[in-house]
Amino acid sequence: MLQDQASVIYVRLRKQVIHPAGAPIRLRDIARILADPSMERELLDMVLSRSEPSDGNRIVIDMLQIISRIKAKHPSVLIEFIGEPHVLVVIQKAPRKPSIVLFVLVWLLLFFGAGLTIMNFHADVSMPEVHIRIVEMITGHRDEHPYLFQVAYSLGIGFGMILFFNHLFKKKWNEEPTPLEVEMYLYQENLNQYVIAEEYEKMRLAESSPKGKQP
């Protein structure tokens, strides 16, 4: 008991973790802790939850749940948490074999969709006439089919997209995130906040329901 009274446990939850389905969720899976070495391993191996099919593919574990579990074993310790007050656990099921047919269909959809978008934009702004006018200004005579200029322009669009997105297949020119990566990060953050809010609402309803109340 004297050891517990003198002990302070620092807990820092991760923002999001991916966990295999069916495996117990331990404290080491979702958090980093700093504690007395005599109890640190025990705390890290502490089982907090087990994923059930009814839980879906996302589980929110709150800091209060962790504090109550730790206090049940070590009532006199002081717990200091740093960072996020909750962690989002994404339950990962067994990976499915990728479908080549689906990949080809998605690739064709994106390829032709992007091509049609560019062509429709060029049609809206009368880009062929603009090319003819630019060539006429440079060369001094009008060419109704400035193929050389249009080919150079098309290649320039491709190189510009590579530079803008800072990405060519798996090759990146520097460590700066691409605009697409930033947008995906913001989308994931908003999605996580929505899921967390929904899970908290489910927990509140479960606690307020007659079955969730303690007798």
Side-chain angles (χ1 to χ4, degrees), residues 148-164:
L148 182 61
F149 184 85
Q150 291 174 344
V151 169
Y153 172 77
S154 300
L155 294 176
I157 291 179
F159 284 119
M161 295 296 288
I162 291 173
L163 293 177
F164 179 75

Side-chain angles (χ1 to χ4, degrees), residues 51-93:
S51 61
E52 300 291 340
S54 58
D55 295 330
N57 61 348
R58 286 178 171 85
I59 300 174
V60 173
I61 297 180
D62 189 82
M63 177 59 74
L64 292 178
Q65 297 175 256
I66 299 174
I67 292 176
S68 64
R69 292 294 184 89
I70 296 177
K71 285 289 188 179
K73 291 189 175 183
H74 304 279
S76 301
V77 298
L78 299 177
I79 302 173
E80 297 284 345
F81 76 88
I82 305 170
E84 298 288 337
H86 44 247
V87 56
L88 179 62
V89 182
V90 179
I91 304 301
Q92 185 180 49
K93 298 181 180 179

Side-chain angles (χ1 to χ4, degrees), residues 48-202:
L48 301 174
S49 177
R50 292 181 182 272
S51 61
E52 300 291 340
S54 58
D55 295 330
N57 61 348
R58 286 178 171 85
I59 300 174
V60 173
I61 297 180
D62 189 82
M63 177 59 74
L64 292 178
Q65 297 175 256
I66 299 174
I67 292 176
S68 64
R69 292 294 184 89
I70 296 177
K71 285 289 188 179
K73 291 189 175 183
H74 304 279
S76 301
V77 298
L78 299 177
I79 302 173
E80 297 284 345
F81 76 88
I82 305 170
E84 298 288 337
H86 44 247
V87 56
L88 179 62
V89 182
V90 179
I91 304 301
Q92 185 180 49
K93 298 181 180 179
R96 295 183 300 176
K97 185 178 180 181
S99 173
I100 302 299
V101 175
L102 181 61
F103 170 79
V104 172
L105 291 177
V106 173
W107 186 90
L108 291 174
L109 178 64
L110 295 176
F111 178 80
F112 288 106
L116 288 173
T117 301
I118 295 175
M119 288 188 292
N120 289 333
F121 168 76
H122 285 171
D124 289 340
V125 298
S126 300
M127 188 62 72
E129 184 62 31
V130 173
H131 287 176
I132 293 172
R133 181 58 179 161
I134 292 175
V135 172
E136 184 179 3
M137 293 173 60
I138 295 174
T139 62
H141 66 275
R142 185 177 181 86
D143 184 0
E144 297 294 336
H145 304 286
Y147 295 123
L148 182 61
F149 184 85
Q150 291 174 344
V151 169
Y153 172 77
S154 300
L155 294 176
I157 291 179
F159 284 119
M161 295 296 288
I162 291 173
L163 293 177
F164 179 75
F165 285 104
N166 188 30
H167 214 283
L168 179 62
F169 299 107
K170 294 184 179 181
K171 173 68 175 178
K172 292 185 66 175
W173 313 123
N174 52 56
E175 295 301 321
E176 182 179 351
T178 67
L180 182 60
E181 290 174 338
V182 173
E183 288 299 323
M184 291 299 296
Y185 173 80
L186 294 176
Y187 169 77
Q188 188 65 47
E189 285 290 306
N190 292 332
L191 178 62
N192 290 347
Q193 290 299 323
Y194 176 82
V195 171
I196 290 171
E198 286 292 309
E199 290 296 325
Y200 271 122
E201 182 65 17
K202 292 178 182 178

Side-chain angles (χ1 to χ4, degrees), residues 10-14 30-34 63 80-84:
Y10 297 92
V11 182
R12 181 173 185 175
L13 293 180
R14 297 181 172 91
I30 64 171
R32 296 180 60 188
I33 69 170
L34 181 62
M63 177 59 74
E80 297 284 345
F81 76 88
I82 305 170
E84 298 288 337

